[in-house]
Amino acid sequence: MKSWTARRLSNLSRGQTGVMALLVSGLVCLFLGSISLFPLLRVSLMGLNVLDSAEDIAAFQKSGLYSGVSLAYTEARRLPGYLVLTQSKTNTLSISLPYMYVEAPTGIDKEYTFLNLYRLSGADYQVLLVSTRELTSPVYVSMEYSSFYSEWRDQYLGGGANRYVFAASASPLPFILFLCGLGGLLLGLLLFLYCFKPLWRATPFGRQLAKWGDPDDVERDLNSALSFPLFESGALLLSDRWLILGERKHPQHAPLLTKSYRILSAHLIPDKDDEIQLLLTFMNEKGAQQEWACWLSAEEASRIKSAWFPPCLLKETVNDACSCRL
């Protein structure tokens, strides 16, 4: 099928905007889910799903992984008070002038983060766990505040070996399963719409297909007839049985679909700008006369004159006041 027809039939009968939205959304969800799943796969391959020894904790810290592991402990103790992180945020005023861009500071805001402190004891290690919420089990840990770990370890755990600091984090698995499930659902819905086409009749072009019979039967007949069109341009496609009347300036609008025997008259009207107007009068599905016009180049007009069937229906008309009336 030619590109003009294939593009417009595909876009308009399948509702390309909705289809592309489903496709892109599904692929994005699956991509994000796969990216989030990759660290968990690395954790599993390295055997670090559960940290239950000082050796495992040291291996996790050296692995370059950031999160995705749970910590095993035998005793937990809540330390009194909170650890308060203070961050300064500078507010700026941006001014854009011709050939100049200026940013001026207008003040500094303080942001405070309150962290609960827990001392967790394992077989041969101690861990200071900082968390924005209450301790839950199992404990998933991350390296979120790693730049402060040395300071906090010395302050709260004292000296000695096998002492570590982690931040509590939620398990990433539910989020990953949600993303992958949502992506699979969207792609499955896309497959359902593509294969079974339940919504085609609700689209502008789908309703036109339904007016000529069963949409699937009409589509097959169109595919057969338009595989070898008699004439094709940016606004018109002609076969031995069908005409598709579109518009160059508004390709997003549903084209008109009619059959050749419904054409009542066809006129080619030359214009002073070396373009030729094609005026068609045809009988629509309601039994009323309808008119349609498009512009053709001289080369296109020559081709359509030799391809139009029956040839006696297509007439050349002088561009005067009478013939220009629609």
Side-chain angles (χ1 to χ4, degrees):
M1 187 180 295
K2 300 294 184 179
S3 59
W4 190 98
T5 310
R7 183 170 65 254
R8 282 158 181 76
L9 286 181
S10 175
N11 293 355
L12 295 165
S13 62
R14 291 171 172 79
Q16 187 192 34
T17 302
V19 169
M20 289 303 298
L22 286 176
L23 177 61
V24 172
S25 299
L27 292 177
V28 167
C29 289
L30 286 179
F31 175 75
L32 293 178
S34 301
I35 293 297
S36 303
L37 186 61
F38 181 70
L40 293 186
L41 295 177
R42 285 190 60 192
V43 166
S44 299
L45 292 175
M46 299 178 68
L48 298 175
N49 304 68
V50 179
L51 305 180
D52 55 5
S53 67
E55 182 181 359
D56 288 344
I57 295 177
F60 171 67
Q61 290 183 324
K62 294 178 181 179
S63 65
L65 299 173
Y66 190 78
S67 62
V69 300
S70 61
L71 179 68
Y73 59 92
T74 57
E75 182 182 351
R77 177 189 171 191
R78 169 71 184 272
L79 299 182
Y82 294 93
L83 182 62
V84 182
L85 287 181
T86 304
Q87 293 177 306
S88 297
K89 181 181 179 181
T90 303
N91 297 321
T92 60
L93 176 64
S94 301
I95 302 174
S96 295
L97 300 173
Y99 308 104
M100 182 182 299
Y101 177 78
V102 179
E103 281 192 355
T106 58
I108 298 177
D109 290 339
K110 298 289 186 180
E111 294 183 355
Y112 302 96
T113 303
F114 293 85
L115 299 174
N116 296 308
L117 300 175
Y118 296 92
R119 181 182 292 168
L120 307 181
S121 300
D124 58 349
Y125 58 88
Q126 283 191 350
V127 169
L128 175 68
L129 185 71
V130 294
S131 175
T132 56
R133 54 187 179 276
E134 297 296 325
L135 183 65
T136 57
S137 185
V139 176
Y140 288 89
V141 297
S142 72
M143 309 286 291
E144 184 176 356
Y145 306 108
S146 56
S147 58
F148 301 97
Y149 281 179
S150 299
E151 175 186 345
W152 293 348
R153 183 177 60 244
D154 296 338
Q155 181 177 352
Y156 292 97
L157 295 179
N162 299 341
R163 283 168 169 76
Y164 308 93
V165 181
F166 288 111
S169 66
S171 172
L173 190 58
F175 177 70
I176 294 173
L177 293 178
F178 170 77
L179 282 180
C180 293
L182 180 61
L185 178 64
L186 292 176
L187 293 179
L189 179 60
L190 174 62
L191 181 63
F192 172 75
L193 294 176
Y194 184 80
C195 294
F196 298 100
K197 299 172 284 189
L199 301 180
W200 276 32
R201 298 179 190 221
T203 64
F205 199 78
R207 286 193 291 269
Q208 292 196 61
L209 295 179
K211 291 174 183 177
W212 297 100
D214 182 87
D216 291 333
D217 294 337
V218 176
E219 184 194 6
R220 280 191 289 270
D221 187 41
L222 276 172
N223 286 336
S224 174
L226 300 180
S227 296
F228 302 98
L230 302 177
F231 174 80
E232 179 180 10
S233 73
L236 170 71
L237 192 142
L238 169 70
S239 77
D240 58 343
R241 301 189 297 275
W242 294 94
L243 272 86
I244 298 180
L245 311 176
E247 174 54 53
R248 288 176 178 175
K249 296 181 179 179
H250 303 286
Q252 73 277 12
H253 293 171
L256 294 173
L257 176 65
T258 188
K259 290 193 174 182
S260 302
Y261 69 83
R262 285 182 173 263
I263 300 296
L264 302 177
S265 64
H267 296 272
L268 290 172
I269 305 175
D271 187 78
K272 61 182 180 180
D273 295 327
D274 295 330
E275 281 199 331
I276 299 174
Q277 188 179 40
L278 173 65
L279 297 178
L280 299 180
T281 304
F282 61 94
M283 194 75 67
N284 61 25
E285 68 277 358
K286 296 181 181 179
Q289 289 189 14
Q290 184 173 345
E291 294 179 329
W292 178 87
C294 74
W295 292 95
L296 303 175
S297 65
E299 187 270 335
E300 289 173 335
S302 176
R303 286 195 293 114
I304 198 172
K305 282 193 293 185
S306 62
W308 193 276
F309 183 82
C312 60
L313 190 63
L314 186 65
K315 301 178 181 179
E316 290 193 58
T317 305
V318 178
N319 189 7
D320 54 24
C322 296
S323 63
C324 286
R325 293 178 57 195
L326 300 182

